Short mmCIF file of all heavy atoms in Angstrom, two decimals:
data_model
loop_
_atom_site.label_atom_id
_atom_site.label_comp_id
_atom_site.label_asym_id
_atom_site.label_seq_id
_atom_site.Cartn_x
_atom_site.Cartn_y
_atom_site.Cartn_z
N MET A 150 -40.13 1.39 7.84
CA MET A 150 -38.87 0.68 7.75
C MET A 150 -38.93 -0.51 8.70
O MET A 150 -39.30 -0.38 9.85
CB MET A 150 -37.72 1.63 8.13
CG MET A 150 -36.39 0.98 8.06
SD MET A 150 -35.01 2.07 8.50
CE MET A 150 -35.04 3.27 7.21
N SER A 151 -38.54 -1.68 8.20
CA SER A 151 -38.59 -2.87 9.03
C SER A 151 -37.46 -2.87 10.05
O SER A 151 -36.49 -2.12 9.93
CB SER A 151 -38.51 -4.12 8.17
OG SER A 151 -37.22 -4.24 7.62
N VAL A 152 -37.59 -3.71 11.05
CA VAL A 152 -36.60 -3.79 12.12
C VAL A 152 -35.25 -4.24 11.55
O VAL A 152 -34.20 -3.71 11.92
CB VAL A 152 -37.08 -4.75 13.23
CG1 VAL A 152 -36.02 -4.94 14.28
CG2 VAL A 152 -38.36 -4.23 13.85
N GLY A 153 -35.27 -5.17 10.61
CA GLY A 153 -34.02 -5.65 10.02
C GLY A 153 -33.29 -4.57 9.24
O GLY A 153 -32.09 -4.42 9.36
N ASN A 154 -34.04 -3.81 8.45
CA ASN A 154 -33.43 -2.72 7.70
C ASN A 154 -32.89 -1.63 8.62
O ASN A 154 -31.84 -1.06 8.37
CB ASN A 154 -34.43 -2.11 6.72
CG ASN A 154 -34.72 -3.02 5.56
OD1 ASN A 154 -33.96 -3.94 5.27
ND2 ASN A 154 -35.84 -2.79 4.89
N ARG A 155 -33.62 -1.35 9.68
CA ARG A 155 -33.17 -0.34 10.64
C ARG A 155 -31.87 -0.78 11.32
O ARG A 155 -30.96 0.01 11.51
CB ARG A 155 -34.27 -0.08 11.67
CG ARG A 155 -33.91 1.00 12.67
CD ARG A 155 -35.12 1.37 13.51
NE ARG A 155 -34.79 2.18 14.64
CZ ARG A 155 -34.55 3.48 14.59
NH1 ARG A 155 -34.61 4.11 13.44
NH2 ARG A 155 -34.25 4.15 15.67
N THR A 156 -31.80 -2.06 11.67
CA THR A 156 -30.59 -2.59 12.29
C THR A 156 -29.40 -2.48 11.35
O THR A 156 -28.32 -2.07 11.74
CB THR A 156 -30.81 -4.07 12.70
OG1 THR A 156 -31.93 -4.14 13.57
CG2 THR A 156 -29.59 -4.63 13.38
N ILE A 157 -29.61 -2.82 10.10
CA ILE A 157 -28.53 -2.73 9.10
C ILE A 157 -28.10 -1.28 8.93
O ILE A 157 -26.91 -0.97 8.87
CB ILE A 157 -28.99 -3.33 7.76
CG1 ILE A 157 -29.15 -4.84 7.90
CG2 ILE A 157 -28.00 -2.99 6.66
CD1 ILE A 157 -29.78 -5.51 6.70
N LEU A 158 -29.05 -0.35 8.90
CA LEU A 158 -28.74 1.06 8.76
C LEU A 158 -27.92 1.55 9.94
O LEU A 158 -26.91 2.26 9.75
CB LEU A 158 -30.03 1.88 8.63
CG LEU A 158 -29.86 3.39 8.48
CD1 LEU A 158 -29.11 3.71 7.20
CD2 LEU A 158 -31.22 4.07 8.49
N LEU A 159 -28.30 1.18 11.15
CA LEU A 159 -27.56 1.61 12.34
C LEU A 159 -26.16 1.01 12.36
O LEU A 159 -25.19 1.68 12.73
CB LEU A 159 -28.33 1.22 13.60
CG LEU A 159 -29.65 1.97 13.84
CD1 LEU A 159 -30.38 1.40 15.06
CD2 LEU A 159 -29.40 3.46 14.01
N GLU A 160 -26.04 -0.25 11.96
CA GLU A 160 -24.71 -0.88 11.92
C GLU A 160 -23.83 -0.21 10.88
O GLU A 160 -22.64 0.00 11.10
CB GLU A 160 -24.85 -2.37 11.63
CG GLU A 160 -25.42 -3.16 12.78
CD GLU A 160 -25.64 -4.62 12.43
OE1 GLU A 160 -25.38 -5.02 11.27
OE2 GLU A 160 -26.08 -5.36 13.32
N THR A 161 -24.39 0.14 9.73
CA THR A 161 -23.62 0.81 8.68
C THR A 161 -23.15 2.17 9.16
O THR A 161 -21.99 2.55 8.93
CB THR A 161 -24.49 0.97 7.41
OG1 THR A 161 -24.93 -0.32 7.00
CG2 THR A 161 -23.70 1.62 6.30
N ARG A 162 -24.03 2.92 9.82
CA ARG A 162 -23.62 4.23 10.35
C ARG A 162 -22.52 4.08 11.39
O ARG A 162 -21.58 4.86 11.42
CB ARG A 162 -24.82 4.94 10.96
CG ARG A 162 -25.76 5.50 9.93
CD ARG A 162 -26.87 6.27 10.57
NE ARG A 162 -27.81 6.76 9.57
CZ ARG A 162 -29.00 7.22 9.83
NH1 ARG A 162 -29.43 7.27 11.09
NH2 ARG A 162 -29.78 7.64 8.87
N ALA A 163 -22.63 3.07 12.24
CA ALA A 163 -21.61 2.84 13.27
C ALA A 163 -20.27 2.51 12.62
O ALA A 163 -19.22 3.00 13.05
CB ALA A 163 -22.04 1.72 14.21
N MET A 164 -20.30 1.69 11.57
CA MET A 164 -19.05 1.34 10.88
C MET A 164 -18.45 2.57 10.20
O MET A 164 -17.24 2.78 10.22
CB MET A 164 -19.30 0.23 9.86
CG MET A 164 -19.53 -1.10 10.52
SD MET A 164 -19.79 -2.55 9.44
CE MET A 164 -19.79 -1.98 7.81
N ASN A 165 -19.29 3.40 9.59
CA ASN A 165 -18.80 4.62 8.94
C ASN A 165 -18.19 5.57 9.96
O ASN A 165 -17.15 6.19 9.70
CB ASN A 165 -19.92 5.31 8.18
CG ASN A 165 -20.27 4.61 6.89
OD1 ASN A 165 -19.47 3.84 6.36
ND2 ASN A 165 -21.46 4.86 6.38
N ASN A 166 -18.83 5.70 11.12
CA ASN A 166 -18.28 6.56 12.16
C ASN A 166 -16.94 6.03 12.65
O ASN A 166 -16.00 6.80 12.84
CB ASN A 166 -19.26 6.68 13.33
CG ASN A 166 -20.47 7.53 12.98
OD1 ASN A 166 -20.42 8.35 12.07
ND2 ASN A 166 -21.55 7.33 13.71
N ARG A 167 -16.86 4.73 12.85
CA ARG A 167 -15.60 4.11 13.30
C ARG A 167 -14.49 4.32 12.26
O ARG A 167 -13.36 4.65 12.60
CB ARG A 167 -15.83 2.62 13.55
CG ARG A 167 -14.63 1.85 13.94
CD ARG A 167 -14.20 2.18 15.33
NE ARG A 167 -13.05 1.35 15.66
CZ ARG A 167 -12.26 1.58 16.66
NH1 ARG A 167 -12.50 2.59 17.47
NH2 ARG A 167 -11.24 0.82 16.89
N LEU A 168 -14.83 4.13 10.99
CA LEU A 168 -13.86 4.34 9.92
C LEU A 168 -13.39 5.78 9.90
O LEU A 168 -12.20 6.06 9.76
CB LEU A 168 -14.47 3.94 8.58
CG LEU A 168 -13.57 4.12 7.36
CD1 LEU A 168 -12.35 3.22 7.46
CD2 LEU A 168 -14.35 3.83 6.09
N SER A 169 -14.32 6.71 10.06
CA SER A 169 -13.98 8.12 10.06
C SER A 169 -13.03 8.46 11.21
O SER A 169 -12.05 9.18 11.03
CB SER A 169 -15.25 8.96 10.17
OG SER A 169 -14.95 10.32 10.26
N VAL A 170 -13.31 7.91 12.38
CA VAL A 170 -12.45 8.15 13.54
C VAL A 170 -11.05 7.59 13.29
O VAL A 170 -10.04 8.24 13.58
CB VAL A 170 -13.08 7.53 14.81
CG1 VAL A 170 -12.08 7.48 15.95
CG2 VAL A 170 -14.32 8.31 15.21
N GLU A 171 -10.97 6.39 12.74
CA GLU A 171 -9.67 5.77 12.50
C GLU A 171 -8.88 6.51 11.43
O GLU A 171 -7.66 6.67 11.55
CB GLU A 171 -9.86 4.30 12.10
CG GLU A 171 -10.36 3.43 13.23
CD GLU A 171 -9.42 3.38 14.41
OE1 GLU A 171 -8.18 3.36 14.23
OE2 GLU A 171 -9.91 3.38 15.55
N VAL A 172 -9.53 6.98 10.39
CA VAL A 172 -8.83 7.74 9.34
C VAL A 172 -8.30 9.04 9.92
O VAL A 172 -7.15 9.43 9.67
CB VAL A 172 -9.76 8.00 8.14
CG1 VAL A 172 -9.17 9.03 7.19
CG2 VAL A 172 -10.04 6.70 7.41
N LYS A 173 -9.10 9.72 10.72
CA LYS A 173 -8.65 10.97 11.35
C LYS A 173 -7.47 10.71 12.27
O LYS A 173 -6.51 11.48 12.30
CB LYS A 173 -9.79 11.64 12.11
CG LYS A 173 -10.83 12.25 11.20
CD LYS A 173 -12.00 12.81 11.99
CE LYS A 173 -13.08 13.32 11.07
NZ LYS A 173 -14.28 13.76 11.81
N ARG A 174 -7.54 9.62 13.04
CA ARG A 174 -6.43 9.28 13.94
C ARG A 174 -5.17 8.97 13.13
O ARG A 174 -4.08 9.42 13.48
CB ARG A 174 -6.79 8.06 14.80
CG ARG A 174 -5.71 7.70 15.82
CD ARG A 174 -6.11 6.49 16.63
NE ARG A 174 -6.30 5.30 15.83
CZ ARG A 174 -5.31 4.51 15.41
NH1 ARG A 174 -4.06 4.78 15.70
NH2 ARG A 174 -5.58 3.43 14.69
N PHE A 175 -5.31 8.24 12.05
CA PHE A 175 -4.18 7.89 11.19
C PHE A 175 -3.52 9.15 10.64
O PHE A 175 -2.30 9.28 10.61
CB PHE A 175 -4.65 7.00 10.05
CG PHE A 175 -3.57 6.65 9.06
CD1 PHE A 175 -2.61 5.71 9.36
CD2 PHE A 175 -3.54 7.27 7.82
CE1 PHE A 175 -1.63 5.38 8.45
CE2 PHE A 175 -2.55 6.96 6.91
CZ PHE A 175 -1.60 6.01 7.22
N LEU A 176 -4.32 10.10 10.20
CA LEU A 176 -3.78 11.34 9.63
C LEU A 176 -3.16 12.23 10.69
O LEU A 176 -2.25 13.00 10.40
CB LEU A 176 -4.86 12.09 8.87
CG LEU A 176 -5.37 11.39 7.61
CD1 LEU A 176 -6.52 12.17 7.00
CD2 LEU A 176 -4.25 11.21 6.60
N ARG A 177 -3.65 12.14 11.92
CA ARG A 177 -3.09 12.94 13.01
C ARG A 177 -1.73 12.42 13.45
O ARG A 177 -0.85 13.20 13.83
CB ARG A 177 -4.04 12.91 14.22
CG ARG A 177 -4.84 14.15 14.39
CD ARG A 177 -5.47 14.23 15.79
NE ARG A 177 -5.88 12.96 16.36
CZ ARG A 177 -7.11 12.46 16.30
NH1 ARG A 177 -8.05 13.12 15.67
NH2 ARG A 177 -7.40 11.31 16.85
N GLU A 178 -1.57 11.13 13.43
CA GLU A 178 -0.32 10.54 13.89
C GLU A 178 0.80 10.86 12.91
O GLU A 178 0.63 10.83 11.70
CB GLU A 178 -0.46 9.02 14.01
CG GLU A 178 -1.36 8.60 15.13
CD GLU A 178 -1.49 7.09 15.21
OE1 GLU A 178 -0.85 6.40 14.40
OE2 GLU A 178 -2.23 6.63 16.08
N GLU A 179 1.96 11.15 13.46
CA GLU A 179 3.09 11.52 12.63
C GLU A 179 3.57 10.35 11.78
O GLU A 179 3.96 10.53 10.63
CB GLU A 179 4.24 12.02 13.51
CG GLU A 179 5.36 12.64 12.73
CD GLU A 179 6.36 13.33 13.61
OE1 GLU A 179 5.96 13.90 14.62
OE2 GLU A 179 7.54 13.28 13.27
N GLU A 180 3.52 9.15 12.33
CA GLU A 180 3.97 7.99 11.56
C GLU A 180 3.09 7.79 10.32
O GLU A 180 3.59 7.46 9.26
CB GLU A 180 3.92 6.74 12.43
CG GLU A 180 4.96 6.72 13.52
CD GLU A 180 4.85 5.48 14.39
OE1 GLU A 180 4.06 4.59 14.05
OE2 GLU A 180 5.55 5.43 15.40
N GLY A 181 1.82 7.98 10.48
CA GLY A 181 0.92 7.81 9.34
C GLY A 181 1.21 8.80 8.24
O GLY A 181 1.27 8.44 7.06
N THR A 182 1.41 10.05 8.59
CA THR A 182 1.71 11.06 7.57
C THR A 182 3.09 10.84 6.98
O THR A 182 3.29 11.10 5.80
CB THR A 182 1.61 12.49 8.15
OG1 THR A 182 2.48 12.61 9.27
CG2 THR A 182 0.20 12.81 8.57
N GLU A 183 4.01 10.32 7.77
CA GLU A 183 5.34 10.04 7.25
C GLU A 183 5.29 8.93 6.19
O GLU A 183 5.97 9.01 5.16
CB GLU A 183 6.27 9.63 8.39
CG GLU A 183 7.72 9.56 7.99
CD GLU A 183 8.63 9.32 9.18
OE1 GLU A 183 8.40 9.92 10.23
OE2 GLU A 183 9.55 8.50 9.03
N VAL A 184 4.49 7.92 6.43
CA VAL A 184 4.33 6.84 5.46
C VAL A 184 3.74 7.37 4.16
O VAL A 184 4.20 7.03 3.06
CB VAL A 184 3.43 5.72 6.04
CG1 VAL A 184 3.04 4.73 4.97
CG2 VAL A 184 4.14 5.02 7.18
N VAL A 185 2.75 8.24 4.28
CA VAL A 185 2.14 8.82 3.09
C VAL A 185 3.16 9.67 2.34
O VAL A 185 3.24 9.62 1.10
CB VAL A 185 0.90 9.67 3.48
CG1 VAL A 185 0.37 10.44 2.29
CG2 VAL A 185 -0.19 8.78 4.05
N GLU A 186 3.95 10.45 3.06
CA GLU A 186 4.97 11.28 2.40
C GLU A 186 5.98 10.43 1.64
O GLU A 186 6.33 10.73 0.50
CB GLU A 186 5.70 12.14 3.44
CG GLU A 186 4.84 13.24 4.03
CD GLU A 186 5.50 13.91 5.22
OE1 GLU A 186 6.60 13.50 5.63
OE2 GLU A 186 4.89 14.85 5.76
N TRP A 187 6.45 9.34 2.26
CA TRP A 187 7.42 8.48 1.59
C TRP A 187 6.79 7.77 0.39
O TRP A 187 7.45 7.55 -0.63
CB TRP A 187 8.03 7.48 2.56
CG TRP A 187 9.11 8.10 3.39
CD1 TRP A 187 9.08 8.37 4.71
CD2 TRP A 187 10.38 8.56 2.92
NE1 TRP A 187 10.25 8.97 5.10
CE2 TRP A 187 11.07 9.10 4.02
CE3 TRP A 187 11.00 8.58 1.68
CZ2 TRP A 187 12.34 9.64 3.92
CZ3 TRP A 187 12.28 9.11 1.58
CH2 TRP A 187 12.94 9.63 2.68
N ALA A 188 5.52 7.43 0.49
CA ALA A 188 4.84 6.81 -0.65
C ALA A 188 4.74 7.79 -1.81
O ALA A 188 4.93 7.42 -2.98
CB ALA A 188 3.45 6.34 -0.24
N LEU A 189 4.49 9.07 -1.51
CA LEU A 189 4.45 10.08 -2.56
C LEU A 189 5.82 10.28 -3.20
O LEU A 189 5.94 10.43 -4.42
CB LEU A 189 3.93 11.41 -1.99
CG LEU A 189 2.45 11.43 -1.62
CD1 LEU A 189 2.11 12.73 -0.91
CD2 LEU A 189 1.59 11.27 -2.85
N VAL A 190 6.87 10.29 -2.37
CA VAL A 190 8.23 10.43 -2.90
C VAL A 190 8.56 9.25 -3.81
O VAL A 190 9.11 9.43 -4.90
CB VAL A 190 9.26 10.55 -1.74
CG1 VAL A 190 10.68 10.42 -2.26
CG2 VAL A 190 9.08 11.87 -1.02
N ALA A 191 8.23 8.04 -3.37
CA ALA A 191 8.52 6.85 -4.18
C ALA A 191 7.76 6.91 -5.50
O ALA A 191 8.31 6.59 -6.56
CB ALA A 191 8.14 5.59 -3.41
N GLY A 192 6.51 7.33 -5.46
CA GLY A 192 5.73 7.46 -6.68
C GLY A 192 6.33 8.48 -7.63
O GLY A 192 6.36 8.28 -8.85
N LEU A 193 6.81 9.58 -7.08
CA LEU A 193 7.44 10.62 -7.90
C LEU A 193 8.73 10.10 -8.54
O LEU A 193 8.97 10.33 -9.73
CB LEU A 193 7.73 11.86 -7.06
CG LEU A 193 8.33 13.04 -7.77
CD1 LEU A 193 7.39 13.56 -8.85
CD2 LEU A 193 8.65 14.16 -6.78
N VAL A 194 9.53 9.38 -7.79
CA VAL A 194 10.77 8.82 -8.33
C VAL A 194 10.46 7.84 -9.46
O VAL A 194 11.10 7.86 -10.51
CB VAL A 194 11.58 8.13 -7.21
CG1 VAL A 194 12.70 7.28 -7.78
CG2 VAL A 194 12.14 9.16 -6.26
N ILE A 195 9.45 7.01 -9.27
CA ILE A 195 9.08 6.05 -10.31
C ILE A 195 8.58 6.77 -11.56
O ILE A 195 8.93 6.41 -12.69
CB ILE A 195 8.02 5.07 -9.77
CG1 ILE A 195 8.67 4.15 -8.74
CG2 ILE A 195 7.39 4.26 -10.89
CD1 ILE A 195 7.69 3.31 -7.96
N ALA A 196 7.77 7.80 -11.36
CA ALA A 196 7.24 8.55 -12.51
C ALA A 196 8.35 9.24 -13.29
O ALA A 196 8.38 9.22 -14.52
CB ALA A 196 6.21 9.58 -12.03
N VAL A 197 9.30 9.85 -12.57
CA VAL A 197 10.41 10.53 -13.24
C VAL A 197 11.29 9.51 -13.97
O VAL A 197 11.71 9.73 -15.10
CB VAL A 197 11.24 11.35 -12.23
CG1 VAL A 197 12.54 11.83 -12.82
CG2 VAL A 197 10.42 12.53 -11.72
N GLY A 198 11.55 8.38 -13.32
CA GLY A 198 12.35 7.33 -13.97
C GLY A 198 11.69 6.82 -15.24
O GLY A 198 12.35 6.61 -16.25
N ALA A 199 10.38 6.62 -15.19
CA ALA A 199 9.67 6.14 -16.37
C ALA A 199 9.71 7.18 -17.49
O ALA A 199 9.88 6.84 -18.67
CB ALA A 199 8.22 5.81 -16.01
N ALA A 200 9.58 8.45 -17.13
CA ALA A 200 9.62 9.52 -18.14
C ALA A 200 11.01 9.59 -18.79
O ALA A 200 11.13 9.73 -20.00
CB ALA A 200 9.26 10.85 -17.50
N ILE A 201 12.04 9.47 -17.98
CA ILE A 201 13.41 9.50 -18.51
C ILE A 201 13.64 8.30 -19.42
O ILE A 201 14.19 8.43 -20.51
CB ILE A 201 14.44 9.54 -17.36
CG1 ILE A 201 14.38 10.90 -16.67
CG2 ILE A 201 15.84 9.25 -17.87
CD1 ILE A 201 15.20 10.99 -15.40
N PHE A 202 13.23 7.13 -18.96
CA PHE A 202 13.40 5.92 -19.76
C PHE A 202 12.68 6.04 -21.09
O PHE A 202 13.23 5.68 -22.14
CB PHE A 202 12.89 4.71 -18.98
CG PHE A 202 13.07 3.41 -19.70
CD1 PHE A 202 14.33 2.83 -19.83
CD2 PHE A 202 11.99 2.77 -20.29
CE1 PHE A 202 14.50 1.63 -20.50
CE2 PHE A 202 12.14 1.58 -20.97
CZ PHE A 202 13.40 1.01 -21.07
N ALA A 203 11.45 6.55 -21.07
CA ALA A 203 10.69 6.69 -22.31
C ALA A 203 11.33 7.72 -23.24
O ALA A 203 11.30 7.56 -24.46
CB ALA A 203 9.25 7.11 -21.99
N THR A 204 11.93 8.75 -22.66
CA THR A 204 12.52 9.81 -23.47
C THR A 204 13.82 9.37 -24.14
O THR A 204 14.03 9.62 -25.32
CB THR A 204 12.80 11.06 -22.60
OG1 THR A 204 11.55 11.49 -22.04
CG2 THR A 204 13.39 12.18 -23.42
N ILE A 205 14.69 8.72 -23.39
CA ILE A 205 16.02 8.40 -23.94
C ILE A 205 16.15 6.96 -24.40
O ILE A 205 17.18 6.59 -24.95
CB ILE A 205 17.13 8.71 -22.92
CG1 ILE A 205 17.06 7.78 -21.71
CG2 ILE A 205 17.10 10.15 -22.51
CD1 ILE A 205 18.26 7.89 -20.80
N GLY A 206 15.12 6.14 -24.21
CA GLY A 206 15.21 4.73 -24.56
C GLY A 206 15.58 4.48 -26.01
O GLY A 206 16.45 3.67 -26.32
N GLY A 207 14.94 5.19 -26.93
CA GLY A 207 15.23 5.01 -28.35
C GLY A 207 16.62 5.47 -28.71
O GLY A 207 17.31 4.83 -29.53
N HIS A 208 17.09 6.55 -28.10
CA HIS A 208 18.43 7.07 -28.37
C HIS A 208 19.49 6.08 -27.88
O HIS A 208 20.50 5.86 -28.56
CB HIS A 208 18.64 8.42 -27.70
CG HIS A 208 17.71 9.49 -28.21
ND1 HIS A 208 17.75 9.95 -29.50
CD2 HIS A 208 16.72 10.16 -27.59
CE1 HIS A 208 16.82 10.87 -29.65
NE2 HIS A 208 16.16 11.01 -28.51
N VAL A 209 19.27 5.50 -26.73
CA VAL A 209 20.23 4.52 -26.19
C VAL A 209 20.31 3.31 -27.10
O VAL A 209 21.40 2.81 -27.40
CB VAL A 209 19.84 4.13 -24.75
CG1 VAL A 209 20.66 2.95 -24.26
CG2 VAL A 209 19.98 5.31 -23.81
N GLN A 210 19.17 2.83 -27.57
CA GLN A 210 19.16 1.67 -28.46
C GLN A 210 19.94 1.98 -29.74
O GLN A 210 20.72 1.15 -30.22
CB GLN A 210 17.73 1.26 -28.80
CG GLN A 210 17.66 0.04 -29.69
CD GLN A 210 16.23 -0.37 -30.01
OE1 GLN A 210 15.29 0.32 -29.65
NE2 GLN A 210 16.08 -1.49 -30.68
N THR A 211 19.75 3.17 -30.29
CA THR A 211 20.46 3.56 -31.51
C THR A 211 21.96 3.59 -31.27
O THR A 211 22.75 3.06 -32.08
CB THR A 211 19.98 4.95 -31.98
OG1 THR A 211 18.58 4.88 -32.24
CG2 THR A 211 20.71 5.39 -33.24
N HIS A 212 22.39 4.18 -30.16
CA HIS A 212 23.82 4.26 -29.86
C HIS A 212 24.42 2.87 -29.61
O HIS A 212 25.55 2.60 -30.05
CB HIS A 212 24.07 5.17 -28.66
CG HIS A 212 23.84 6.62 -28.95
ND1 HIS A 212 24.60 7.33 -29.86
CD2 HIS A 212 22.92 7.49 -28.48
CE1 HIS A 212 24.17 8.57 -29.92
NE2 HIS A 212 23.14 8.71 -29.09
N LEU A 213 23.71 2.01 -28.94
CA LEU A 213 24.23 0.66 -28.71
C LEU A 213 24.32 -0.13 -30.01
O LEU A 213 25.28 -0.90 -30.21
CB LEU A 213 23.36 -0.08 -27.69
CG LEU A 213 23.44 0.43 -26.25
CD1 LEU A 213 22.44 -0.31 -25.37
CD2 LEU A 213 24.84 0.28 -25.70
N THR A 214 23.37 0.04 -30.89
CA THR A 214 23.42 -0.62 -32.19
C THR A 214 24.61 -0.12 -33.00
O THR A 214 25.35 -0.91 -33.61
CB THR A 214 22.12 -0.38 -32.98
OG1 THR A 214 21.03 -0.87 -32.20
CG2 THR A 214 22.15 -1.08 -34.33
N ASN A 215 24.82 1.19 -33.00
CA ASN A 215 25.98 1.76 -33.71
C ASN A 215 27.29 1.25 -33.13
O ASN A 215 28.22 0.93 -33.87
CB ASN A 215 25.94 3.29 -33.65
CG ASN A 215 24.81 3.87 -34.48
OD1 ASN A 215 24.28 3.21 -35.36
ND2 ASN A 215 24.43 5.10 -34.17
N LEU A 216 27.36 1.16 -31.81
CA LEU A 216 28.57 0.67 -31.15
C LEU A 216 28.81 -0.80 -31.53
O LEU A 216 29.94 -1.19 -31.83
CB LEU A 216 28.44 0.81 -29.64
CG LEU A 216 29.61 0.31 -28.80
CD1 LEU A 216 30.87 1.11 -29.13
CD2 LEU A 216 29.29 0.41 -27.33
N ALA A 217 27.76 -1.60 -31.54
CA ALA A 217 27.91 -3.01 -31.91
C ALA A 217 28.37 -3.14 -33.35
O ALA A 217 29.23 -3.98 -33.67
CB ALA A 217 26.58 -3.74 -31.71
N ASN A 218 27.84 -2.30 -34.23
CA ASN A 218 28.28 -2.35 -35.63
C ASN A 218 29.73 -1.91 -35.79
O ASN A 218 30.47 -2.49 -36.57
CB ASN A 218 27.38 -1.46 -36.50
CG ASN A 218 26.00 -2.07 -36.66
OD1 ASN A 218 25.82 -3.27 -36.57
ND2 ASN A 218 25.01 -1.21 -36.89
N MET A 219 30.16 -0.90 -35.02
CA MET A 219 31.53 -0.43 -35.09
C MET A 219 32.50 -1.51 -34.58
O MET A 219 33.61 -1.64 -35.08
CB MET A 219 31.73 0.83 -34.26
CG MET A 219 31.13 2.06 -34.93
SD MET A 219 31.34 3.66 -34.10
CE MET A 219 32.11 3.33 -32.58
N LEU A 220 32.07 -2.27 -33.61
CA LEU A 220 32.92 -3.33 -33.04
C LEU A 220 32.86 -4.60 -33.87
O LEU A 220 33.54 -5.58 -33.57
CB LEU A 220 32.52 -3.62 -31.60
CG LEU A 220 32.74 -2.49 -30.61
CD1 LEU A 220 32.18 -2.86 -29.25
CD2 LEU A 220 34.21 -2.14 -30.51
N GLY A 221 32.05 -4.61 -34.90
CA GLY A 221 31.98 -5.75 -35.78
C GLY A 221 30.97 -6.80 -35.31
O GLY A 221 30.93 -7.89 -35.86
N GLY A 222 30.21 -6.47 -34.30
CA GLY A 222 29.23 -7.43 -33.78
C GLY A 222 28.09 -7.62 -34.77
O GLY A 222 27.79 -8.71 -35.19
N GLY A 223 27.48 -6.56 -35.15
CA GLY A 223 26.41 -6.58 -36.13
C GLY A 223 25.29 -7.54 -35.79
O GLY A 223 24.57 -7.97 -36.66
N GLY A 224 25.17 -7.95 -34.54
CA GLY A 224 24.08 -8.84 -34.13
C GLY A 224 24.31 -10.28 -34.53
O GLY A 224 23.40 -11.04 -34.65
N GLY A 225 25.57 -10.69 -34.75
CA GLY A 225 25.87 -12.04 -35.22
C GLY A 225 25.91 -13.09 -34.12
O GLY A 225 26.31 -14.21 -34.40
N GLY A 226 25.57 -12.78 -32.92
CA GLY A 226 25.51 -13.81 -31.88
C GLY A 226 26.83 -14.02 -31.15
O GLY A 226 26.99 -14.99 -30.47
N GLY A 227 27.79 -13.17 -31.31
CA GLY A 227 29.01 -13.23 -30.54
C GLY A 227 30.11 -14.11 -31.13
O GLY A 227 31.09 -14.39 -30.48
N GLU A 228 29.96 -14.60 -32.34
CA GLU A 228 31.01 -15.41 -32.95
C GLU A 228 32.08 -14.47 -33.51
O GLU A 228 31.80 -13.52 -34.22
CB GLU A 228 30.45 -16.27 -34.09
CG GLU A 228 29.49 -17.33 -33.60
CD GLU A 228 29.01 -18.18 -34.75
OE1 GLU A 228 29.71 -18.29 -35.76
OE2 GLU A 228 27.91 -18.73 -34.62
N GLY A 229 33.26 -14.73 -33.17
CA GLY A 229 34.35 -13.89 -33.66
C GLY A 229 35.65 -14.64 -33.61
O GLY A 229 35.72 -15.81 -33.31
N GLY A 230 36.73 -13.92 -33.92
CA GLY A 230 37.99 -14.62 -34.00
C GLY A 230 38.79 -14.43 -32.88
O GLY A 230 39.57 -14.47 -32.18
#
């Protein structure tokens, strides 16, 4: 192994060790875990909202169309008397 390759290998190992230490420190700190917990909660809220929207979206459109037709709108652009 050449001196240049050995130097690169040692630097890569040092960076990996430093990254490992920082990740462990981040996970140990309460603030770090709290941020992760809130990110998971936000992701769950978004996923549930998307599922609800996908489930009832077609039904809402049908009901709004029926309501517009009952009111005489019928999609005519708002012209009325």
Side-chain angles (χ1 to χ4, degrees):
M150 180 180 295
S151 70
V152 175
N154 288 341
R155 183 170 168 78
T156 303
I157 291 172
L158 180 63
L159 292 175
E160 288 176 359
T161 302
R162 285 184 182 166
M164 287 182 357
N165 285 340
N166 288 338
R167 176 72 178 164
L168 179 63
S169 176
V170 167
E171 292 299 322
V172 168
K173 288 176 184 175
R174 183 180 62 82
F175 176 76
L176 293 175
R177 257 196 325 265
E178 291 180 1
E179 190 170 325
E180 290 178 7
T182 56
E183 190 173 318
V184 169
V185 172
E186 290 170 357
W187 280 111
L189 290 173
V190 168
L193 182 62
V194 167
I195 290 170
V197 169
I201 290 171
F202 182 74
T204 301
I205 67 171
H208 298 295
V209 170
Q210 181 179 5
T211 300
H212 289 296
L213 290 175
T214 301
N215 291 340
L216 179 62
N218 289 335
M219 286 182 355
L220 295 175
E228 294 182 25

